Amino acid sequence: DVPMTRKIDDLVISLACKYGTPIGYVQEQNGRLVQNLFPIKSTENEQISSSSKTELYLHTETAFHPYLPDYLILYCVRGDPAAATTYADITDIIEHLSTKAQSILRQPRFITTVDLSFRTEGEEDQEVLTSIISGSNANPQLKYDASVMRGTDDIAQAALDELTSVIPLCTRDVILNTGDALVINNKTTIHGRKPFTPRYDGTDRWLKRVLVRTELPKDC
């Protein structure tokens, strides 16, 4: 139903505008402001939003990008009770990290590469040097994606491994049903998804996603 889909898109954009400016990236879904997320057979085992049969690991959205989104909005058009969205917040995670690991994670000693969703046309991968924890001690921020990140040395990798090991202690689930909207702070909360079995018959889980920035780059 095209009119209904447009009405939903308008609704999600309206919600997104309460948090900032909806954005898109030309390399991902051709820069669409409202992205459709549903299982695709060719990527069902990949670390990408169109996967299904594998767990989508907890991650910061577009962690490699210099202008990553501040928020993402997930609106459920059609749910699947098996496909729980998972999430964990930095304020919980940091309580389980050693002081040494926290210090190392604040240093630019980590490499992240480019998400598969930005390389669907066979684009060359790239490496970006980054820290993982930033912000003040009172208001820490997190940039994390285990599937594309690694330490630049053994000490950095050990700190990243410690972070990865404590994240499950802080992970929560939420089931999105039809009409539910979930707003995720991309600076403080990592998110993922549990595996589910798609049918590929037009009745699978379907989300609308909008990415939001509170401030736009000066050249936009």
Side-chain angles (χ1 to χ4, degrees):
D1 189 332
V2 174
M4 179 58 70
T5 298
R6 288 177 179 167
K7 187 176 293 187
I8 293 172
D9 287 356
D10 290 344
L11 173 66
V12 183
I13 287 289
S14 177
L15 174 59
C17 286
K18 296 181 183 297
Y19 293 87
T21 303
I23 62 168
Y25 301 97
V26 67
Q27 301 93 339
E28 184 178 52
Q29 295 201 21
N30 296 314
R32 291 187 183 92
L33 292 183
V34 181
Q35 301 173 357
N36 290 288
L37 308 182
F38 47 79
I40 297 174
K41 190 171 182 59
S42 61
T43 61
E44 62 186 13
N45 293 305
E46 303 284 352
Q47 285 298 308
I48 192 170
S49 57
S50 56
S51 67
S52 53
K53 292 187 176 180
T54 191
E55 179 178 359
L56 186 60
Y57 300 143
L58 289 165
H59 62 282
T60 299
E61 193 70 25
T62 322
F64 66 92
H65 205 283
Y67 302 114
L68 68 167
D70 296 307
Y71 294 93
L72 60 149
I73 315 294
L74 298 177
Y75 179 88
C76 183
V77 180
R78 188 167 50 235
D80 185 322
T85 298
T86 54
Y87 66 94
D89 190 89
I90 181 59
T91 55
D92 296 326
I93 294 168
I94 213 164
E95 292 182 1
H96 297 275
L97 285 172
S98 67
T99 302
K100 178 181 178 181
Q102 291 182 46
S103 175
I104 294 167
L105 291 166
R106 285 182 173 275
Q107 301 170 26
R109 296 169 65 175
F110 304 88
I111 294 290
T112 183
T113 57
V114 178
D115 294 348
L116 283 173
S117 61
F118 277 68
R119 298 187 288 114
T120 56
E121 300 298 324
E123 293 89 346
E124 185 176 350
D125 202 355
Q126 299 181 45
E127 295 187 344
V128 179
L129 188 66
T130 186
S131 59
I132 290 179
I133 296 178
S134 62
S136 66
N137 289 333
N139 295 291
Q141 297 180 5
L142 179 67
K143 186 188 295 183
Y144 173 83
D145 189 337
S147 67
V148 295
M149 278 185 168
R150 69 179 189 276
T152 57
D153 55 71
D154 290 344
I155 294 175
Q157 186 60 49
L160 178 56
D161 291 343
E162 181 178 330
L163 172 62
T164 299
S165 72
V166 304
I167 284 174
L169 303 176
C170 312
T171 302
R172 305 289 182 267
D173 298 348
V174 60
I175 302 292
L176 297 179
N177 297 308
T178 298
D180 287 345
L182 179 64
V183 180
I184 297 173
N185 185 329
N186 197 45
K187 290 184 176 181
T188 62
T189 306
I190 51 178
H191 67 285
R193 192 214 61 245
K194 288 190 172 180
F196 65 102
T197 303
R199 296 172 291 273
Y200 301 120
D201 62 357
T203 65
D204 284 322
R205 182 177 188 257
W206 176 15
L207 300 184
K208 298 276 187 178
R209 179 176 67 188
V210 177
L211 309 177
V212 179
R213 275 190 61 89
T214 55
E215 294 183 9
L216 294 180
K218 292 180 181 180
D219 55 354
C220 284

